[in-house]
Amino acid sequence: KASDMTEDEDGGFVHGSGKRVLVGENSFNKYVTKIESDKNYSVYYREKDRQLTTKKEAFNIVDQQLIDNGYIKYFSHNGGMLVENTYTEGTLCELFQKRALEFSSDKIYEKNFSDTIRIKSQLVNRNYEAVVRGKRQTYSMELTTTGAGTDLKNLFDATELPFPSPKNIGYLKLLISLFEKESFITLDFFSGSSSTAHAVMQLNTDDGGNRKFIMVQLPESCDEKSEAFKAGYSNIAEIGKERIRRAAKKIQAENPLFVGDLGFKVFKLDSSNLKPWDATFDSLAQDLAESTNVIKDDRLPEDVLFEILLKYGLDLTLRMDTHTIAGKRVYEVGAGALIVCLDDGVTEAVAEGIGKLKEQLEPEVMRVVFKDSSFASDAAKVNAVQVLKQYGIDDVKSI
């Protein structure tokens, strides 16, 4: 709308929001490591005749002759150190020729001539008085990426951002809170650094909700020149996992009384853990010999466990505990809803221990899964199944 636009000295209409700081105090851009950098330069500007010149200068160096001739010096800095300007010297000069720069007393902005409708421009990014969860307070929608960048650098204890254009969790929290329920799953198919997971955990802490998240991200390799790669992250998914770990630790430290779930599990899409059997006549003898162990050699027991959960349609976030029964490792899932033992040499003593575990946990139904090769003989398997039936366990499977 017209009230959002102002007419500049050249008759162009400039949007009141979205102006980008190109030169000036800036906590978002990278620190200068080389004076010769394409993005390190001072800008001297004289308003009366619109004269602009640029110079390669170190911190605290001033061309006094230009100052005496009426120029104002602009340079990018943060905490007493030089930071890079937003654009290269050439790009800034092109924008100047297009009269697309706005000069304040200490900063140079890029004018925003866009008059298209943007959702962000329809929202209020400034602080205003609001009622939030029944309390009157000063509120902001936190739409800026600059604030998100500062928060992320603090979270990763870094001077440079591990990746560009981070999302602000304050705004993500606002979007998630539009759902009145406080117990649901938020799915992000392009999760990047897992900002959505961070927002879900933070919102749960704020209002005591029980929201869960599923983050999906291809292990896209990080550019070897990127800050993320330099920090030891080989792909984007690794950044996301580390971000969730750090965010959870920070939330717990700031909210010691919070008892909600801040943990997460990581799964990678792969083929089945079980070997396919498609024997030919020539390989029949060998395949029969190898069929005693149907689990692929490079798979862990936990891999098989989660595949069993998927095939039973059980929630992957169910609580899991591990017991040692008669020297064998036994997984208990969902307070006894499922028992899995994938060790070899299973005896009646193991079955007896599982039966006593059922009496202790008292689940409505208990399912038990073994490896077929866990038993020394068919007789041992039959005896174990009979022991379990004595404890009311009828759903016994082997793989």
Side-chain angles (χ1 to χ4, degrees), residues 223-239:
D223 190 313
E224 293 187 5
K225 296 180 181 179
S226 68
E227 294 300 324
F229 189 87
K230 294 175 185 176
Y233 302 105
S234 59
N235 62 65
I236 294 176
E238 294 301 320
I239 300 173

Side-chain angles (χ1 to χ4, degrees), residues 96-114:
F96 178 69
Q97 294 300 322
K98 294 177 182 178
R99 304 180 78 85
L101 298 181
E102 178 181 323
F103 296 84
S104 71
S105 60
D106 58 354
K107 291 182 180 178
I108 302 175
Y109 300 90
E110 180 182 4
K111 294 179 180 178
N112 177 14
F113 292 111
S114 174

Side-chain angles (χ1 to χ4, degrees), residues 327-358:
K328 306 302 177 184
R329 181 168 48 178
V330 174
Y331 297 99
E332 171 216 326
V333 182
L338 176 67
I339 301 293
V340 178
C341 179
L342 301 172
D343 283 1
D344 294 326
V346 171
T347 61
E348 293 178 34
V350 176
E352 187 78 29
I354 293 173
K356 291 180 179 178
L357 186 62
K358 179 178 183 292

